[in-house]
mmCIF file of all heavy atoms in Angstrom:
data_model
loop_
_atom_site.group_PDB
_atom_site.id
_atom_site.type_symbol
_atom_site.label_atom_id
_atom_site.label_comp_id
_atom_site.label_asym_id
_atom_site.label_seq_id
_atom_site.Cartn_x
_atom_site.Cartn_y
_atom_site.Cartn_z
ATOM 1 N N GLU A 1 91.599 104.315 100.640
ATOM 2 C CA GLU A 1 90.889 105.518 101.077
ATOM 3 C C GLU A 1 91.469 106.055 102.385
ATOM 4 O O GLU A 1 91.598 107.266 102.580
ATOM 5 C CB GLU A 1 89.401 105.221 101.231
ATOM 6 C CG GLU A 1 88.678 104.929 99.918
ATOM 7 C CD GLU A 1 88.786 106.098 98.949
ATOM 8 O OE1 GLU A 1 88.716 107.261 99.396
ATOM 9 O OE2 GLU A 1 88.947 105.845 97.742
ATOM 10 N N HIS A 2 91.825 105.142 103.294
ATOM 11 C CA HIS A 2 92.414 105.554 104.574
ATOM 12 C C HIS A 2 93.769 106.234 104.353
ATOM 13 O O HIS A 2 94.059 107.269 104.973
ATOM 14 C CB HIS A 2 92.566 104.333 105.474
ATOM 15 C CG HIS A 2 93.197 104.644 106.811
ATOM 16 N ND1 HIS A 2 92.580 105.434 107.762
ATOM 17 C CD2 HIS A 2 94.403 104.272 107.334
ATOM 18 C CE1 HIS A 2 93.368 105.537 108.822
ATOM 19 N NE2 HIS A 2 94.486 104.840 108.582
ATOM 20 N N ILE A 3 94.593 105.677 103.457
ATOM 21 C CA ILE A 3 95.916 106.264 103.181
ATOM 22 C C ILE A 3 95.765 107.632 102.530
ATOM 23 O O ILE A 3 96.491 108.576 102.863
ATOM 24 C CB ILE A 3 96.734 105.315 102.279
ATOM 25 C CG1 ILE A 3 97.042 104.020 103.030
ATOM 26 C CG2 ILE A 3 98.027 105.986 101.830
ATOM 27 C CD1 ILE A 3 97.696 102.958 102.172
ATOM 28 N N LYS A 4 94.807 107.763 101.615
ATOM 29 C CA LYS A 4 94.596 109.054 100.960
ATOM 30 C C LYS A 4 94.145 110.116 101.972
ATOM 31 O O LYS A 4 94.548 111.279 101.882
ATOM 32 C CB LYS A 4 93.555 108.910 99.843
ATOM 33 C CG LYS A 4 94.069 108.155 98.623
ATOM 34 C CD LYS A 4 93.013 108.087 97.531
ATOM 35 C CE LYS A 4 93.557 107.407 96.287
ATOM 36 N NZ LYS A 4 92.551 107.308 95.209
ATOM 37 N N ALA A 5 93.307 109.696 102.927
ATOM 38 C CA ALA A 5 92.874 110.643 103.965
ATOM 39 C C ALA A 5 94.068 111.070 104.830
ATOM 40 O O ALA A 5 94.201 112.245 105.197
ATOM 41 C CB ALA A 5 91.792 110.003 104.824
ATOM 42 N N GLN A 6 94.947 110.116 105.156
ATOM 43 C CA GLN A 6 96.145 110.456 105.929
ATOM 44 C C GLN A 6 97.041 111.424 105.160
ATOM 45 O O GLN A 6 97.595 112.361 105.744
ATOM 46 C CB GLN A 6 96.925 109.173 106.244
ATOM 47 C CG GLN A 6 96.296 108.316 107.327
ATOM 48 C CD GLN A 6 97.155 107.112 107.638
ATOM 49 O OE1 GLN A 6 97.678 106.446 106.743
ATOM 50 N NE2 GLN A 6 97.322 106.810 108.912
ATOM 51 N N ARG A 7 97.153 111.204 103.853
ATOM 52 C CA ARG A 7 98.006 112.083 103.057
ATOM 53 C C ARG A 7 97.427 113.490 102.975
ATOM 54 O O ARG A 7 98.161 114.472 103.005
ATOM 55 C CB ARG A 7 98.188 111.502 101.651
ATOM 56 C CG ARG A 7 99.228 112.227 100.820
ATOM 57 C CD ARG A 7 99.639 111.438 99.607
ATOM 58 N NE ARG A 7 98.519 111.174 98.735
ATOM 59 C CZ ARG A 7 98.610 110.482 97.591
ATOM 60 N NH1 ARG A 7 99.775 109.994 97.217
ATOM 61 N NH2 ARG A 7 97.553 110.273 96.834
ATOM 62 N N GLN A 8 96.090 113.592 102.913
ATOM 63 C CA GLN A 8 95.465 114.902 102.871
ATOM 64 C C GLN A 8 95.692 115.653 104.188
ATOM 65 O O GLN A 8 95.973 116.860 104.191
ATOM 66 C CB GLN A 8 93.962 114.752 102.597
ATOM 67 C CG GLN A 8 93.211 116.058 102.465
ATOM 68 C CD GLN A 8 93.726 116.927 101.342
ATOM 69 O OE1 GLN A 8 94.138 116.419 100.318
ATOM 70 N NE2 GLN A 8 93.699 118.242 101.530
ATOM 71 N N GLN A 9 95.596 114.941 105.303
ATOM 72 C CA GLN A 9 95.872 115.558 106.603
ATOM 73 C C GLN A 9 97.327 116.005 106.693
ATOM 74 O O GLN A 9 97.631 117.073 107.242
ATOM 75 C CB GLN A 9 95.555 114.562 107.718
ATOM 76 C CG GLN A 9 94.079 114.222 107.864
ATOM 77 C CD GLN A 9 93.847 113.195 108.949
ATOM 78 O OE1 GLN A 9 94.773 112.740 109.613
ATOM 79 N NE2 GLN A 9 92.579 112.813 109.133
ATOM 80 N N LEU A 10 98.220 115.204 106.128
ATOM 81 C CA LEU A 10 99.635 115.560 106.137
ATOM 82 C C LEU A 10 99.877 116.846 105.354
ATOM 83 O O LEU A 10 100.635 117.722 105.791
ATOM 84 C CB LEU A 10 100.452 114.414 105.544
ATOM 85 C CG LEU A 10 101.974 114.597 105.503
ATOM 86 C CD1 LEU A 10 102.539 114.680 106.911
ATOM 87 C CD2 LEU A 10 102.628 113.450 104.734
ATOM 88 N N VAL A 11 99.211 116.976 104.213
ATOM 89 C CA VAL A 11 99.357 118.185 103.393
ATOM 90 C C VAL A 11 98.839 119.405 104.144
ATOM 91 O O VAL A 11 99.481 120.471 104.166
ATOM 92 C CB VAL A 11 98.613 118.012 102.060
ATOM 93 C CG1 VAL A 11 98.555 119.336 101.295
ATOM 94 C CG2 VAL A 11 99.280 116.958 101.202
ATOM 95 N N GLU A 12 97.687 119.262 104.769
ATOM 96 C CA GLU A 12 97.099 120.391 105.498
ATOM 97 C C GLU A 12 97.992 120.832 106.654
ATOM 98 O O GLU A 12 98.165 122.033 106.892
ATOM 99 C CB GLU A 12 95.711 119.990 106.007
ATOM 100 C CG GLU A 12 94.695 119.778 104.882
ATOM 101 C CD GLU A 12 93.370 119.264 105.404
ATOM 102 O OE1 GLU A 12 93.282 118.997 106.638
ATOM 103 O OE2 GLU A 12 92.424 119.126 104.610
ATOM 104 N N LYS A 13 98.581 119.875 107.378
ATOM 105 C CA LYS A 13 99.462 120.233 108.492
ATOM 106 C C LYS A 13 100.748 120.868 107.991
ATOM 107 O O LYS A 13 101.313 121.750 108.653
ATOM 108 C CB LYS A 13 99.768 118.996 109.332
ATOM 109 C CG LYS A 13 98.563 118.489 110.128
ATOM 110 C CD LYS A 13 98.936 117.324 111.019
ATOM 111 C CE LYS A 13 97.736 116.872 111.835
ATOM 112 N NZ LYS A 13 98.066 115.735 112.736
ATOM 113 N N ASN A 14 101.214 120.429 106.821
ATOM 114 C CA ASN A 14 102.407 121.052 106.252
ATOM 115 C C ASN A 14 102.126 122.487 105.817
ATOM 116 O O ASN A 14 102.941 123.387 106.036
ATOM 117 C CB ASN A 14 102.901 120.224 105.064
ATOM 118 C CG ASN A 14 104.069 120.878 104.345
ATOM 119 O OD1 ASN A 14 103.930 121.345 103.213
ATOM 120 N ND2 ASN A 14 105.224 120.921 105.000
ATOM 121 N N MET A 15 100.962 122.726 105.218
ATOM 122 C CA MET A 15 100.614 124.056 104.764
ATOM 123 C C MET A 15 100.365 125.006 105.939
ATOM 124 O O MET A 15 100.614 126.213 105.847
ATOM 125 C CB MET A 15 99.376 123.997 103.870
ATOM 126 C CG MET A 15 99.574 123.200 102.583
ATOM 127 S SD MET A 15 100.951 123.804 101.578
ATOM 128 C CE MET A 15 100.386 125.458 101.226
ATOM 129 N N SER A 16 99.869 124.455 107.048
ATOM 130 C CA SER A 16 99.600 125.299 108.218
ATOM 131 C C SER A 16 100.843 125.507 109.084
ATOM 132 O O SER A 16 100.795 126.244 110.069
ATOM 133 C CB SER A 16 98.491 124.682 109.066
ATOM 134 O OG SER A 16 98.871 123.408 109.551
ATOM 135 N N GLY A 17 101.943 124.833 108.755
ATOM 136 C CA GLY A 17 103.181 125.019 109.492
ATOM 137 C C GLY A 17 103.385 124.068 110.642
ATOM 138 O O GLY A 17 104.388 124.160 111.353
ATOM 139 N N VAL A 18 102.455 123.123 110.854
ATOM 140 C CA VAL A 18 102.607 122.162 111.948
ATOM 141 C C VAL A 18 103.772 121.219 111.652
ATOM 142 O O VAL A 18 104.574 120.895 112.542
ATOM 143 C CB VAL A 18 101.301 121.375 112.147
ATOM 144 C CG1 VAL A 18 101.489 120.313 113.239
ATOM 145 C CG2 VAL A 18 100.163 122.314 112.497
ATOM 146 N N TYR A 19 103.868 120.759 110.382
ATOM 147 C CA TYR A 19 104.956 119.894 109.970
ATOM 148 C C TYR A 19 105.895 120.667 109.058
ATOM 149 O O TYR A 19 105.450 121.387 108.162
ATOM 150 C CB TYR A 19 104.431 118.663 109.223
ATOM 151 C CG TYR A 19 103.727 117.645 110.094
ATOM 152 C CD1 TYR A 19 102.870 116.704 109.533
ATOM 153 C CD2 TYR A 19 103.927 117.609 111.473
ATOM 154 C CE1 TYR A 19 102.223 115.771 110.319
ATOM 155 C CE2 TYR A 19 103.291 116.686 112.256
ATOM 156 C CZ TYR A 19 102.435 115.772 111.685
ATOM 157 O OH TYR A 19 101.794 114.848 112.465
ATOM 158 N N SER A 20 107.185 120.512 109.287
ATOM 159 C CA SER A 20 108.171 121.140 108.406
ATOM 160 C C SER A 20 108.211 120.392 107.068
ATOM 161 O O SER A 20 107.668 119.287 106.935
ATOM 162 C CB SER A 20 109.552 121.119 109.057
ATOM 163 O OG SER A 20 109.992 119.778 109.228
ATOM 164 N N ASP A 21 108.884 120.990 106.101
ATOM 165 C CA ASP A 21 109.000 120.352 104.785
ATOM 166 C C ASP A 21 109.759 119.032 104.879
ATOM 167 O O ASP A 21 109.444 118.068 104.159
ATOM 168 C CB ASP A 21 109.707 121.289 103.803
ATOM 169 C CG ASP A 21 108.853 122.496 103.436
ATOM 170 O OD1 ASP A 21 107.630 122.438 103.689
ATOM 171 O OD2 ASP A 21 109.403 123.478 102.901
ATOM 172 N N GLU A 22 110.757 118.949 105.748
ATOM 173 C CA GLU A 22 111.516 117.707 105.896
ATOM 174 C C GLU A 22 110.646 116.579 106.436
ATOM 175 O O GLU A 22 110.668 115.454 105.926
ATOM 176 C CB GLU A 22 112.724 117.932 106.824
ATOM 177 C CG GLU A 22 113.829 118.804 106.248
ATOM 178 C CD GLU A 22 113.446 120.280 106.222
ATOM 179 O OE1 GLU A 22 112.458 120.647 106.905
ATOM 180 O OE2 GLU A 22 114.125 121.058 105.522
ATOM 181 N N ILE A 23 109.861 116.902 107.469
ATOM 182 C CA ILE A 23 108.958 115.882 108.028
ATOM 183 C C ILE A 23 107.911 115.495 106.997
ATOM 184 O O ILE A 23 107.557 114.319 106.863
ATOM 185 C CB ILE A 23 108.295 116.415 109.321
ATOM 186 C CG1 ILE A 23 109.363 116.650 110.402
ATOM 187 C CG2 ILE A 23 107.224 115.456 109.808
ATOM 188 C CD1 ILE A 23 108.803 117.225 111.686
ATOM 189 N N PHE A 24 107.406 116.492 106.264
ATOM 190 C CA PHE A 24 106.390 116.205 105.235
ATOM 191 C C PHE A 24 106.938 115.230 104.189
ATOM 192 O O PHE A 24 106.273 114.246 103.836
ATOM 193 C CB PHE A 24 105.948 117.502 104.551
ATOM 194 C CG PHE A 24 105.077 117.273 103.355
ATOM 195 C CD1 PHE A 24 103.714 117.035 103.497
ATOM 196 C CD2 PHE A 24 105.625 117.271 102.070
ATOM 197 C CE1 PHE A 24 102.918 116.813 102.399
ATOM 198 C CE2 PHE A 24 104.828 117.048 100.966
ATOM 199 C CZ PHE A 24 103.476 116.819 101.133
ATOM 200 N N LYS A 25 108.144 115.494 103.695
ATOM 201 C CA LYS A 25 108.718 114.633 102.663
ATOM 202 C C LYS A 25 108.926 113.220 103.184
ATOM 203 O O LYS A 25 108.660 112.235 102.479
ATOM 204 C CB LYS A 25 110.043 115.224 102.176
ATOM 205 C CG LYS A 25 109.884 116.519 101.393
ATOM 206 C CD LYS A 25 111.246 117.076 100.981
ATOM 207 C CE LYS A 25 111.085 118.380 100.208
ATOM 208 N NZ LYS A 25 112.403 118.953 99.807
ATOM 209 N N GLU A 26 109.388 113.105 104.433
ATOM 210 C CA GLU A 26 109.626 111.787 105.002
ATOM 211 C C GLU A 26 108.324 111.004 105.161
ATOM 212 O O GLU A 26 108.221 109.847 104.741
ATOM 213 C CB GLU A 26 110.321 111.945 106.354
ATOM 214 C CG GLU A 26 110.586 110.622 107.061
ATOM 215 C CD GLU A 26 111.201 110.822 108.432
ATOM 216 O OE1 GLU A 26 111.556 111.977 108.766
ATOM 217 O OE2 GLU A 26 111.319 109.832 109.169
ATOM 218 N N GLN A 27 107.301 111.646 105.750
ATOM 219 C CA GLN A 27 106.029 110.962 105.969
ATOM 220 C C GLN A 27 105.297 110.703 104.646
ATOM 221 O O GLN A 27 104.639 109.674 104.481
ATOM 222 C CB GLN A 27 105.146 111.803 106.898
ATOM 223 C CG GLN A 27 105.700 111.944 108.302
ATOM 224 C CD GLN A 27 105.870 110.601 108.993
ATOM 225 O OE1 GLN A 27 104.981 109.744 108.927
ATOM 226 N NE2 GLN A 27 106.996 110.417 109.670
ATOM 227 N N ASN A 28 105.416 111.636 103.710
ATOM 228 C CA ASN A 28 104.751 111.454 102.415
ATOM 229 C C ASN A 28 105.346 110.269 101.660
ATOM 230 O O ASN A 28 104.629 109.529 100.983
ATOM 231 C CB ASN A 28 104.873 112.728 101.577
ATOM 232 C CG ASN A 28 104.047 112.654 100.312
ATOM 233 O OD1 ASN A 28 102.829 112.489 100.350
ATOM 234 N ND2 ASN A 28 104.697 112.786 99.173
ATOM 235 N N ALA A 29 106.668 110.073 101.762
ATOM 236 C CA ALA A 29 107.308 108.927 101.118
ATOM 237 C C ALA A 29 106.806 107.609 101.709
ATOM 238 O O ALA A 29 106.584 106.629 100.986
ATOM 239 C CB ALA A 29 108.831 109.034 101.261
ATOM 240 N N ILE A 30 106.598 107.600 103.025
ATOM 241 C CA ILE A 30 106.082 106.387 103.681
ATOM 242 C C ILE A 30 104.661 106.091 103.199
ATOM 243 O O ILE A 30 104.323 104.939 102.870
ATOM 244 C CB ILE A 30 106.110 106.564 105.212
ATOM 245 C CG1 ILE A 30 107.560 106.685 105.701
ATOM 246 C CG2 ILE A 30 105.401 105.395 105.906
ATOM 247 C CD1 ILE A 30 107.687 106.995 107.184
ATOM 248 N N LEU A 31 103.816 107.136 103.143
ATOM 249 C CA LEU A 31 102.443 106.937 102.686
ATOM 250 C C LEU A 31 102.406 106.528 101.217
ATOM 251 O O LEU A 31 101.563 105.709 100.814
ATOM 252 C CB LEU A 31 101.636 108.230 102.898
ATOM 253 C CG LEU A 31 101.371 108.621 104.351
ATOM 254 C CD1 LEU A 31 100.629 109.950 104.412
ATOM 255 C CD2 LEU A 31 100.561 107.535 105.072
ATOM 256 N N GLU A 32 103.301 107.081 100.417
ATOM 257 C CA GLU A 32 103.355 106.723 98.998
ATOM 258 C C GLU A 32 103.720 105.248 98.834
ATOM 259 O O GLU A 32 103.171 104.547 97.980
ATOM 260 C CB GLU A 32 104.381 107.604 98.281
ATOM 261 C CG GLU A 32 104.363 107.489 96.773
ATOM 262 C CD GLU A 32 103.167 108.143 96.142
ATOM 263 O OE1 GLU A 32 102.478 108.932 96.830
ATOM 264 O OE2 GLU A 32 102.903 107.866 94.959
ATOM 265 N N GLU A 33 104.627 104.764 99.663
ATOM 266 C CA GLU A 33 105.011 103.356 99.629
ATOM 267 C C GLU A 33 103.822 102.468 100.012
ATOM 268 O O GLU A 33 103.552 101.450 99.360
ATOM 269 C CB GLU A 33 106.180 103.124 100.591
ATOM 270 C CG GLU A 33 106.636 101.678 100.705
ATOM 271 C CD GLU A 33 107.398 101.222 99.474
ATOM 272 O OE1 GLU A 33 107.816 102.080 98.675
ATOM 273 O OE2 GLU A 33 107.564 100.000 99.321
ATOM 274 N N LYS A 34 103.093 102.856 101.042
ATOM 275 C CA LYS A 34 101.917 102.081 101.450
ATOM 276 C C LYS A 34 100.853 102.092 100.362
ATOM 277 O O LYS A 34 100.210 101.068 100.095
ATOM 278 C CB LYS A 34 101.337 102.667 102.745
ATOM 279 C CG LYS A 34 102.210 102.465 103.977
ATOM 280 C CD LYS A 34 101.541 103.048 105.214
ATOM 281 C CE LYS A 34 102.383 102.834 106.463
ATOM 282 N NZ LYS A 34 101.738 103.409 107.670
ATOM 283 N N LEU A 35 100.666 103.245 99.718
ATOM 284 C CA LEU A 35 99.664 103.352 98.665
ATOM 285 C C LEU A 35 100.039 102.484 97.476
ATOM 286 O O LEU A 35 99.173 101.834 96.873
ATOM 287 C CB LEU A 35 99.523 104.813 98.230
ATOM 288 C CG LEU A 35 98.415 105.114 97.214
ATOM 289 C CD1 LEU A 35 97.052 104.747 97.782
ATOM 290 C CD2 LEU A 35 98.434 106.586 96.817
ATOM 291 N N THR A 36 101.324 102.445 97.145
ATOM 292 C CA THR A 36 101.773 101.602 96.031
ATOM 293 C C THR A 36 101.490 100.138 96.314
ATOM 294 O O THR A 36 100.974 99.417 95.450
ATOM 295 C CB THR A 36 103.285 101.808 95.802
ATOM 296 O OG1 THR A 36 103.529 103.186 95.485
ATOM 297 C CG2 THR A 36 103.779 100.941 94.652
ATOM 298 N N ARG A 37 101.784 99.695 97.521
ATOM 299 C CA ARG A 37 101.531 98.292 97.873
ATOM 300 C C ARG A 37 100.041 97.979 97.843
ATOM 301 O O ARG A 37 99.628 96.911 97.366
ATOM 302 C CB ARG A 37 102.102 98.006 99.254
ATOM 303 C CG ARG A 37 103.623 98.056 99.313
ATOM 304 C CD ARG A 37 104.131 97.814 100.727
ATOM 305 N NE ARG A 37 105.585 97.856 100.797
ATOM 306 C CZ ARG A 37 106.283 97.751 101.909
ATOM 307 N NH1 ARG A 37 105.636 97.584 103.072
ATOM 308 N NH2 ARG A 37 107.599 97.795 101.891
ATOM 309 N N ALA A 38 99.226 98.898 98.332
ATOM 310 C CA ALA A 38 97.777 98.670 98.330
ATOM 311 C C ALA A 38 97.245 98.606 96.912
ATOM 312 O O ALA A 38 96.370 97.782 96.603
ATOM 313 C CB ALA A 38 97.074 99.785 99.109
ATOM 314 N N MET A 39 97.772 99.449 96.036
ATOM 315 C CA MET A 39 97.331 99.436 94.642
ATOM 316 C C MET A 39 97.728 98.139 93.954
ATOM 317 O O MET A 39 96.977 97.601 93.137
ATOM 318 C CB MET A 39 97.932 100.630 93.895
ATOM 319 C CG MET A 39 97.296 101.962 94.255
ATOM 320 S SD MET A 39 95.577 102.044 93.704
ATOM 321 C CE MET A 39 95.190 103.753 94.136
ATOM 322 N N ILE A 40 98.921 97.635 94.274
ATOM 323 C CA ILE A 40 99.361 96.368 93.683
ATOM 324 C C ILE A 40 98.463 95.226 94.143
ATOM 325 O O ILE A 40 98.067 94.362 93.359
ATOM 326 C CB ILE A 40 100.824 96.094 94.061
ATOM 327 C CG1 ILE A 40 101.739 97.137 93.415
ATOM 328 C CG2 ILE A 40 101.250 94.698 93.625
ATOM 329 C CD1 ILE A 40 103.182 97.030 93.863
ATOM 330 N N VAL A 41 98.119 95.209 95.426
ATOM 331 C CA VAL A 41 97.217 94.180 95.944
ATOM 332 C C VAL A 41 95.871 94.256 95.242
ATOM 333 O O VAL A 41 95.311 93.236 94.826
ATOM 334 C CB VAL A 41 97.039 94.343 97.465
ATOM 335 C CG1 VAL A 41 95.931 93.431 97.967
ATOM 336 C CG2 VAL A 41 98.342 94.037 98.184
ATOM 337 N N LYS A 42 95.363 95.452 95.068
ATOM 338 C CA LYS A 42 94.076 95.620 94.400
ATOM 339 C C LYS A 42 94.143 95.155 92.960
ATOM 340 O O LYS A 42 93.248 94.479 92.458
ATOM 341 C CB LYS A 42 93.654 97.084 94.453
ATOM 342 C CG LYS A 42 92.310 97.352 93.777
ATOM 343 C CD LYS A 42 91.941 98.821 93.864
ATOM 344 C CE LYS A 42 90.618 99.069 93.150
ATOM 345 N NZ LYS A 42 90.231 100.499 93.223
ATOM 346 N N ASP A 43 95.222 95.499 92.265
ATOM 347 C CA ASP A 43 95.350 95.118 90.855
ATOM 348 C C ASP A 43 95.521 93.609 90.718
ATOM 349 O O ASP A 43 94.943 92.992 89.846
ATOM 350 C CB ASP A 43 96.548 95.840 90.239
ATOM 351 C CG ASP A 43 96.698 95.528 88.762
ATOM 352 O OD1 ASP A 43 95.883 96.020 87.982
ATOM 353 O OD2 ASP A 43 97.633 94.793 88.395
#
């Protein structure tokens, strides 16, 4: 839930222009990796 909230904030900042597309892609990949690991632990 914490990672999903971080990803939503990242999307909002990207849409508002605070984060560029390059920064968004880099940070989103990191969050996706964390989410994958958390899902594996849960499963």
